Amino acid sequence: MKQGQKTRVGAIGGGQLAWMMALEAEALGLELMVQTPKSSDPAVSRASEVIFGAIADATTTERLAERCDVITFENEFIDLEALSSLEQSGVCFRPRLSALKPLLDKYDQRCFLQDLGIPVPWFKSLNWHHLPENFSFPVVLKTRRQGYDGQGTLILKDREELNKAAKTFADVPVLVEEFVPFERELAVMAARFSSGEVVVYPVVETQQINQVCRWVLVPAEVGEKVQQKVTEISQKLLNELEVIGILGIEFFLTSDGQVLVNEIAPRTHNSGHFSLDACYTSQFAQHLRAVADLPVGDPSLKCGGAVMVNLLGYEESESDYLQERERLAQLPGTHVHWYGKPEVRPGRKLGHVTVCTDSTKREELVAIAQKIESIWYPA
């Protein structure tokens, strides 16, 4: 891997996050090369170069390293142990592997946050062979690795559902945590540069249905104290990990004003997609700036407010939904991003819509989100 200026960036993963990263790489004069298993993966059409191979295949990553200056990550499905020997041989990973290590396993992540004094829900690693008798239901069950978009997350209402889950997840490491009766779910993107400078994006409110993000309201209608707490936690977390790159951090806001960390994604994240159209520097450009040692970008909004709505699959299909996308594009201030995935299935993220607006009122932002969903989903 070449030393000095980092103009060729490798990304492990070729999904829509890498696709959007590739768009921004072009604007920054960088080459983005991806490691991905399928020719139909979204980033294949945009990347400067593609090396085909499984995400967790370190041999493929070694080939990627020969072609670029620095390697970053689009998802968490990596084999950290296998990559360690590459890092020891001089491959530059950003974030570095030691920053990823406490985050990839959700139980380890919870322990790490707790040790830092960052507030989290009550949690416990679960042993299916020795289930405690004193559970207070409901509880949230999560697989410790590789759960995303609600996969591997269940809300268990009683002992019967716990026993059913024991059969489904018998051989899978899991944890349980308290069900937090939150007032709202919040999120923030935060990036750290090799200089130590941390930039924090506007705090947003997310709407989750079945543990999948449906829409994001920007900015979140919360008080200064909550915003300050979110910023403090973000800065502390990134500095403690010495991250170079961007993190997505999800929070619960309780009715009494507590801010609890729900989960951390060590990469660009769905809750930051609005930044492509609504911010001076998108999360994807900021991440690339950090990993390539380019100057820090401005994360602030260039409009009053914004709404991001995920276009989720709701059927088995091979449609490109062109008619619906054209209708969405006619809405004022709308930007439609279509990932070009060849197969549609329920819950799959096919694209997203961002609407830039002068309004910051929550009820008006919600109305925009509902209008988009009324066009996208069949009545």
Side-chain angles (χ1 to χ4, degrees), residues 126-131 141 156 162-163 165-166 169-172 174:
L126 200 60
N127 183 338
W128 290 120
H129 300 294
H130 302 285
L131 288 176
L141 175 79
L156 306 178
L162 177 65
N163 292 336
F169 297 97
D171 300 317
V172 180
V174 298

Side-chain angles (χ1 to χ4, degrees), residues 193-227:
F193 285 68
S194 56
S195 64
E197 183 174 355
V198 175
V199 292
V200 181
Y201 279 76
V203 181
V204 304
E205 177 183 345
T206 66
Q207 173 74 24
Q208 315 278 333
I209 298 178
N210 297 325
Q211 291 81 57
V212 180
C213 180
R214 288 286 288 261
W215 70 63
V216 174
L217 310 179
V218 191
E221 201 174 78
V222 293
E224 190 176 328
K225 278 188 177 180
V226 171
Q227 293 183 50

Side-chain angles (χ1 to χ4, degrees), residues 222-240:
V222 293
E224 190 176 328
K225 278 188 177 180
V226 171
Q227 293 183 50
Q228 186 177 352
K229 186 65 176 176
V230 166
T231 299
E232 287 174 357
I233 289 172
S234 303
Q235 291 172 334
K236 182 175 184 177
L237 181 60
L238 271 74
N239 284 326
E240 187 70 28

Side-chain angles (χ1 to χ4, degrees), residues 9-26:
V9 178
I12 300 179
Q16 65 262 22
L17 299 180
W19 177 74
M20 287 180 270
M21 209 184 298
L23 296 178
E24 295 290 62
E26 291 174 18

Side-chain angles (χ1 to χ4, degrees), residues 108-122:
D108 293 344
Q109 186 183 118
R110 281 277 186 264
C111 292
F112 175 73
L113 291 167
Q114 192 174 62
D115 290 346
L116 285 181
I118 293 174
V120 295
W122 173 90

Side-chain angles (χ1 to χ4, degrees), residues 60-97:
T60 304
T61 305
E62 187 173 12
R63 290 168 50 211
L64 179 68
E66 292 169 355
R67 305 286 299 146
C68 56
D69 306 311
V70 59
I71 293 177
T72 191
F73 307 90
E74 192 223 31
N75 59 55
E76 299 90 79
F77 305 147
I78 55 173
D79 184 339
L80 207 59
E81 189 174 333
L83 294 180
S84 295
S85 61
L86 295 180
E87 188 173 62
Q88 289 166 12
S89 70
V91 174
C92 179
F93 291 105
R94 287 185 167 178
R96 59 201 175 97
L97 301 186

